[in-house]
Amino acid sequence: MSLPIADTSFAEASWIMIVKSLVIFIVILQIVPVILLIERKLLGRFQGRHGPNRVGPHGIMQPLADVLKLLTKESYRPDNAVPFLWAAAPAIVIFTATATLAIIPFGDVKDGVGFYGIDVSIGVLYTFAFGSIAFYGLLLGGWASGSKYSFLGAMRSAAQLISYEISMGLALLGAVMMAGSLSLVDIANAQADTVWYIIPQFVGFLIFMIAGFAETNRAPFDLPEADAELVAGYNTEYGGMRFGSFFMAEYMEMIVVSAVATSFFLGGWHGPGPGFLDPIWMLTKIFGLLIFFIWIRATLPRLRYDQLMSLGWKVLLPLATLNVLVTAVLVVLT
């Protein structure tokens, strides 16, 4: 007896999948500089200064100048580095972030084309699988650099991972039980004619977003990059576009976390108006959460390492477990 390798109800032509892959990769490369510019502008406003305002009109060409600077920097590798692994680490984090974006839905099937890269029946597991692989990029980058500061930053990433990853998964489990599916498309569709899951799953949303800050190494959980203790963390020995790759992957992960939170808790692409507005609604919600990331960075100081561990194990994990138990009881009774 043959077993199916996937549970799919909709298949597309191969050329459509290839076009989708190219679009995802090209669009994400264009969006990251835009987010970087928005962040620098907003941080300037939050901190009572102007932000970038020299390169181009109102500083809008500053991301292009940063990219050109990184591209033209001299390539350097430490003598103590492990060459292949040291070079492979940035490629791993970029690949995993791009692969995760493939399951983000920006709409349902329209005219025979799904407004997403792929719709897999194990979408949540797919997301966490690639997110965990991205961690190996940070670990390899720190270890293969041959620097004690880089290695300590990589070890912090490992300890941070086990502190928030379980809570992050449990935070999504409540929405999964309510929708009855692991597919991001099904979960978003389940919120079409009902209340968005952010209301019944508000605790899960908060836990997921807090864990998302740790997942993306963003303030106040940017401990693997803490310059006060580790010079620059796991990327200390990287320069040029290899450093830029780690930097870009951080913003790509921000997009992934925001998109997953939108699909699970904010109704996905659903919003008022005709169907062609679906991608616009999805992007609007994603950018709203991205601005929230920037706001938190400008507001909160970096936590101590023991504070992060205590928050993950003593607060987030018990709350996430309780939220799952309460949701399970309510789903069964209703």
Side-chain angles (χ1 to χ4, degrees):
M1 183 180 68
S2 61
L3 295 176
I5 60 174
D7 180 19
T8 57
S9 57
F10 174 72
E12 296 173 317
S14 298
W15 69 269
I16 295 179
M17 300 299 293
I18 294 173
V19 171
K20 283 184 177 181
S21 302
L22 294 175
V23 169
I24 290 172
F25 192 73
I26 293 172
V27 168
I28 192 62
L29 291 180
Q30 305 302 317
I31 288 181
V32 168
V34 174
I35 298 172
L36 180 59
L37 179 64
I38 293 173
E39 178 176 42
R40 295 181 68 174
K41 284 287 189 180
L42 287 177
L43 287 177
R45 298 305 180 192
F46 285 136
Q47 297 167 355
R49 52 187 177 83
H50 291 289
N53 63 352
R54 291 290 186 269
V55 185
H58 304 288
I60 61 174
M61 301 300 290
Q62 185 63 51
L64 179 60
D66 293 338
V67 171
L68 291 176
K69 178 187 72 174
L70 292 173
L71 286 172
T72 55
K73 276 194 171 185
E74 180 183 0
S75 180
Y76 167 79
R77 186 183 74 233
D79 293 335
N80 293 332
V82 181
F84 175 74
L85 297 179
W86 183 81
I92 292 174
V93 294
I94 290 292
F95 166 75
T96 53
T98 307
T100 308
L101 284 168
I103 67 166
I104 302 301
F106 289 85
D108 211 338
V109 180
K110 293 181 176 61
D111 298 326
V113 177
F115 276 49
Y116 44 77
I118 54 175
D119 177 22
V120 291
S121 58
I122 54 169
V124 179
L125 302 181
Y126 178 101
T127 303
F128 280 96
F130 277 99
S132 299
I133 294 174
F135 151 74
Y136 288 102
L138 306 185
L139 187 64
L140 286 177
W143 176 79
S145 294
S147 165
K148 60 182 179 181
Y149 294 110
S150 300
F151 183 65
L152 287 173
M155 290 297 98
R156 282 192 175 190
S157 296
Q160 197 164 298
L161 177 77
I162 62 174
S163 298
Y164 68 79
E165 193 83 0
I166 300 174
S167 302
M168 197 175 192
L170 290 175
L172 297 179
L173 194 55
V176 169
M177 289 189 292
M178 293 183 67
S181 174
L182 293 172
S183 165
L184 271 69
V185 175
D186 292 343
I187 293 171
N189 273 326
Q191 303 171 68
D193 300 320
T194 183
V195 66
W196 291 352
Y197 287 165
I198 188 174
I199 295 178
Q201 289 293 316
F202 186 70
V203 174
F205 173 74
L206 288 180
I207 294 171
F208 179 80
M209 290 305 298
I210 293 172
F213 284 98
E215 170 81 12
T216 55
N217 293 328
R218 296 280 297 185
F221 303 136
D222 53 342
L223 294 165
E225 306 171 12
D227 50 348
E229 307 109 60
L230 301 175
V231 184
Y234 60 86
N235 55 14
T236 300
E237 302 298 338
Y238 285 90
M241 275 312 296
R242 287 194 173 96
F243 168 79
S245 297
F246 282 115
F247 198 61
M248 184 168 67
E250 178 180 307
Y251 285 87
M252 293 169 70
E253 288 291 341
M254 285 171 57
I255 297 173
V256 169
V257 171
S258 300
V260 171
T262 298
S263 300
F264 273 80
F265 302 104
L266 299 179
W269 63 83
H270 296 289
F276 66 85
L277 292 178
D278 290 352
I280 305 299
W281 280 116
M282 187 71 179
L283 287 172
T284 300
K285 296 172 185 178
I286 290 174
F287 270 92
L289 291 177
L290 289 173
I291 291 174
F292 179 66
F293 270 91
I294 299 168
W295 180 19
I296 294 298
R297 177 184 177 183
T299 305
L300 298 180
R302 179 184 296 132
L303 270 67
R304 294 197 318 267
Y305 197 62
D306 61 299
Q307 291 174 325
L308 170 62
M309 302 291 283
S310 297
L311 177 65
W313 288 111
K314 297 179 181 179
V315 179
L316 296 183
L317 183 57
L319 279 178
T321 305
L322 181 62
N323 181 65
V324 170
L325 292 174
V326 172
T327 302
V329 171
L330 294 177
V331 169
V332 170
L333 293 179
T334 57

